Amino acid sequence: GQNIDQPTEMTATEGAIVQINCTYQTSGFNGLFWYQQHAGEAPTFLSYNVLDGLEEKGRFSSFLSRSKGYSYLLLKELQMKDSASYLCAPGSGAGSYQLTFGKGTKLSVIP
Amino acid sequence: DTGVSQDPRHKITKRGQNVTFRCDPISEHNRLYWYRQTLGQGPEFLTYFQNEAQLEKSRLLSDRFSAERPKGSFSTLEIQRTEQGDSAMYLCASSWGLNQPQHFGDGTRLSIL
């Protein structure tokens, strides 16, 4: 089975840095995705980690530790438009590559 | 790249009716996925196609649900004898290969009266 845990809500100030943690237990782990979802909209792809370490992409970075079943998403220089839900999604299986999504972390950026 | 397209955007129907949704994936993507999302939850996997073959279906998925991808391009998801619990956002996603990001459509919001 799959078990994904991430904080339900977080609040941060515009211009600051925020780290969203995700722990997971999954069989047949094969990489982890982070998605951003604004209210009423579809999830959009942010990052993908398959090996341990940090992946940096502009203001967003994602870290993975496979041995610990742990990942985090780091958002720098927060902007108001970053207010959204952030979904952690480990992938499993060699064939179907099924994603299992956590409930998401609702981030509120305040002035 | 026109993105993943879903139709309709909204569907309101009475309990017991059948509904069908359509998904047009990104043209070069051979993998297509259906998810369901309810308020406050992440998307829940329903089924997956590689080209026209349905390779995986969630064990949680009722027999009232069926999906097709007849020519390996667009896909349809049908729900028969709808129930109140079927009210949700139905999301379609596509990707071009294994371990590649899945790109989501805007979804079809289903409301059962």
Side-chain angles (χ1 to χ4, degrees), chain B residues 31 33 54 102:
Chain B
R31 295 164 189 258
Y33 305 79
Q54 187 175 18
Q102 295 179 22

Side-chain angles (χ1 to χ4, degrees), chain B residues 44-90:
Chain B
E44 174 192 20
F45 171 79
L46 295 180
T47 191
Y48 154 76
F49 290 85
Q50 184 173 334
N51 300 311
E52 66 275 9
Q54 187 175 18
L55 297 186
E56 189 161 340
K57 188 175 177 180
S58 171
R59 282 169 285 180
L60 302 176
L61 200 59
S62 161
D63 289 343
R64 297 183 296 105
F65 287 69
S66 62
E68 293 182 343
R69 195 183 182 196
K71 297 182 180 179
S73 56
F74 74 91
S75 175
T76 58
L77 177 69
E78 181 183 16
I79 308 174
Q80 296 181 327
R81 305 180 304 281
T82 52
E83 300 174 355
Q84 292 284 350
D86 297 333
S87 294
M89 175 75 83
Y90 289 84

Side-chain angles (χ1 to χ4, degrees), chain B residues 9-58:
Chain B
R9 292 293 307 277
H10 304 275
K11 179 71 177 178
I12 301 173
T13 191
K14 293 181 178 179
R15 183 166 51 92
Q17 297 296 305
N18 299 344
V19 294
T20 300
F21 311 140
R22 176 179 170 123
C23 171
D24 287 89
I26 294 171
S27 58
E28 62 268 26
H29 287 185
N30 63 348
R31 295 164 189 258
L32 187 148
Y33 305 79
W34 284 99
Y35 293 85
R36 175 172 60 192
Q37 187 175 24
T38 54
L39 196 63
Q41 303 293 318
E44 174 192 20
F45 171 79
L46 295 180
T47 191
Y48 154 76
F49 290 85
Q50 184 173 334
N51 300 311
E52 66 275 9
Q54 187 175 18
L55 297 186
E56 189 161 340
K57 188 175 177 180
S58 171

